[in-house]
């Protein structure tokens, strides 16, 4: 990536400049996401600022025209997200200008993102390859199916900080790398459930406030049945309320469970990576997989 990137860009007879996203008022960032009909509250933006870095593009009088962020996850791995461009600037090169700056500063070889349909051509031009879909399932929870009794030695319970190391260890092969900082931050703002067999954690789930209601994610498990077990308490607690689950699965028992609860597919995005090492775990040989994302930006 060219390290001699221009610091300004002329757009429609005015210039835009970079600014650190951490120096921008939350109200301005929320107004930007509202302009493209994204549901992020000020608190959702603050969560992202707590764990990520990024830039905004400002015009000559300090108005935000675009944003982009990256989120480091251990050595050499990052996710990208929150690439937002005001509708009137979307054909003027602002997004690519910001992305070049982000990727130059990020410096990680393994990068993963979830792309809207409109941004896929841009990401492909920057070397990203498609790697599966994410199904954004959301709606008012209509029902919560009853679960059969748990098998022998299985215990489903609320998690606390004493379980965090086990959560990080189970999550790492599923996510693709250890994301200790992010899981610790999510723990602070989430209700968490885990499925234990003896002293071994088999699956976990988190639920937190987000956007129009609540989001379930991440959910990590070794099979559909375990993923359903740890997700069901969150669904049951939110019957009649708005809930969102972003998942890679559109078939199978877990997908059927999500749809039966009343959460239909609202939208899809494409997971894209810079190299194979940035992909999610495949679940081979019984390894855990990510059933639901924390968010499209965090993965």
């Amino acid at each position: 990536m060219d390290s001699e990137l221009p610091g300004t860009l002329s757009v429609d007879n005015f210039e835009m400049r970079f600014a650190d996203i951490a120096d921008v008022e939350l109200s301005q960032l929320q107004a930007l996401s509202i302009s493209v009909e994204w549901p992020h509250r000020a608190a959702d933006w603050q969560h992202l600022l707590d764990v990520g870095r990024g830039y905004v593009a400002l015009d000559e009088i300090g108005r935000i025209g675009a944003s982009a962020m990256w989120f480091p996850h251990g050595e050499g791995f990052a996710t990208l997200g929150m690439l937002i461009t005001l509708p009137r600037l979307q054909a003027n090169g602002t997004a690519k200008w910001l992305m070049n700056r982000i990727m130059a500063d990020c410096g990680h070889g393994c990068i993963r993102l979830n792309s809207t349909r409109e941004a896929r051509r841009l990401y492909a031009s920057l070397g990203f390859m498609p790697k599966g879909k994410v199904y954004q399932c959301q709606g008012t929870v209509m029902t919560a199916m009853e679960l059969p009794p748990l098998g022998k030695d299985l215990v489903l319970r609320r998690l606390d900080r004493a379980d965090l190391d086990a959560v990080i260890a189970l999550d790492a092969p599923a996510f693709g790398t250890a994301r200790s900082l992010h899981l610790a931050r999510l723990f602070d703002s989430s209700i968490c459930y885990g499925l234990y067999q003896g002293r071994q954690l088999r699956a976990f789930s988190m639920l937190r406030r987000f956007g129009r209601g609540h989001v379930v994610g991440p959910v990590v498990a070794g099979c559909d049945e375990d993923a359903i077990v740890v997700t069901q308490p969150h669904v049951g607690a939110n019957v009649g309320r708005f809930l969102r689950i972003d998942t890679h699965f559109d078939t199978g028992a877990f997908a059927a469970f999500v749809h039966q609860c009343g959460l239909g597919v609202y939208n899809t995005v494409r997971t894209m990576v810079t190299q194979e090492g940035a992909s999610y775990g495949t679940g081979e040989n019984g390894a855990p997989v990510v059933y639901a994302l924390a968010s499209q930006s965090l993965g």
Side-chain angles (χ1 to χ4, degrees), residues 3 120 124 140 161 171 173 187 190 194 208 222 229 235 239 294:
S3 60
R120 286 175 200 163
T140 301
R161 273 279 177 165
D171 178 78
F187 234 84
S190 301
R208 70 186 189 282
V229 167
V235 175
V239 173

Side-chain angles (χ1 to χ4, degrees), residues 7-278:
T8 61
L9 176 72
S10 295
V11 177
D12 287 346
N13 297 319
F14 62 88
E15 286 193 337
M16 305 202 78
R17 59 182 174 84
F18 291 120
D20 192 320
I21 198 167
D23 297 331
V24 178
E25 294 290 335
L26 282 175
S27 58
Q28 291 181 278
L29 295 172
Q30 189 179 15
L32 177 66
S33 52
I34 289 172
S35 75
V36 293
E37 300 182 346
W38 287 15
H40 295 69
R41 305 168 301 140
D44 301 325
W45 270 105
Q46 186 60 62
H47 182 120
L48 296 169
L49 294 171
D50 288 345
V51 295
R53 308 169 193 170
Y55 291 99
V56 293
L58 301 179
D59 67 14
E60 293 165 324
I61 59 172
R63 295 176 300 185
I64 298 178
S67 68
M69 296 188 71
W70 82 93
F71 306 91
H73 302 277
E75 285 294 323
F77 193 104
T79 55
L80 302 188
M82 303 311 292
L83 178 65
I84 305 174
T85 308
L86 284 176
R88 64 186 176 85
L89 300 179
Q90 288 177 358
N92 291 320
T94 306
K96 188 168 187 176
W97 178 65
L98 259 183
M99 280 296 299
N100 280 328
R101 178 61 181 264
I102 287 287
M103 293 183 70
D105 280 16
C106 172
H108 292 322
C110 292
I111 303 174
R112 183 166 68 217
L113 56 80
N114 291 298
S115 173
T116 61
R117 183 176 294 104
E118 295 79 10
R120 286 175 200 163
R121 183 175 296 181
L122 165 63
Y123 293 134
S125 73
L126 295 170
F128 285 86
M129 304 172 289
K131 205 67 179 174
K133 283 185 178 180
V134 174
Y135 300 88
Q136 181 180 329
C137 301
Q138 64 184 48
T140 301
V141 178
M142 305 303 295
T143 185
M145 60 180 265
E146 293 295 324
L147 296 178
L150 294 177
K152 185 179 179 181
D153 298 329
L154 293 179
V155 176
L156 174 69
R157 63 170 175 82
R158 283 279 297 268
L159 300 181
D160 57 35
R161 273 279 177 165
D163 299 292
L164 183 55
D165 286 346
V167 166
I168 292 170
L170 184 70
D171 178 78
F175 184 74
T177 190
R179 48 173 171 171
S180 307
L181 172 65
H182 297 266
L183 290 174
R185 178 64 176 81
L186 286 166
F187 234 84
D188 291 338
S189 57
S190 301
I191 296 171
C192 310
Y193 278 90
L195 179 66
Y196 273 91
Q197 184 170 28
R199 302 176 70 177
Q200 179 185 0
L201 182 66
R202 289 174 50 128
F204 74 86
S205 65
M206 299 187 186
L207 173 135
R208 70 186 189 282
R209 284 288 311 278
F210 178 83
R212 294 171 55 189
H214 289 79
V215 61
V216 179
V219 175
V220 173
C223 64
D224 283 34
E225 291 74 20
D226 287 358
I228 292 170
V229 167
V230 294
T231 302
Q232 194 275 344
H234 300 308
V235 175
N238 285 278
V239 173
R241 300 174 181 171
F242 184 88
L243 198 64
R244 173 172 167 176
I245 298 177
D246 291 276
T247 179
H248 293 291
F249 295 86
D250 65 334
T251 60
F254 182 77
F257 164 77
V258 171
H259 299 323
Q260 288 167 9
C261 295
L263 309 184
V265 177
Y266 173 77
N267 199 3
T268 61
V269 295
R270 179 76 67 179
T271 299
M272 303 184 76
V273 299
T274 52
Q275 56 182 265
E276 286 297 325

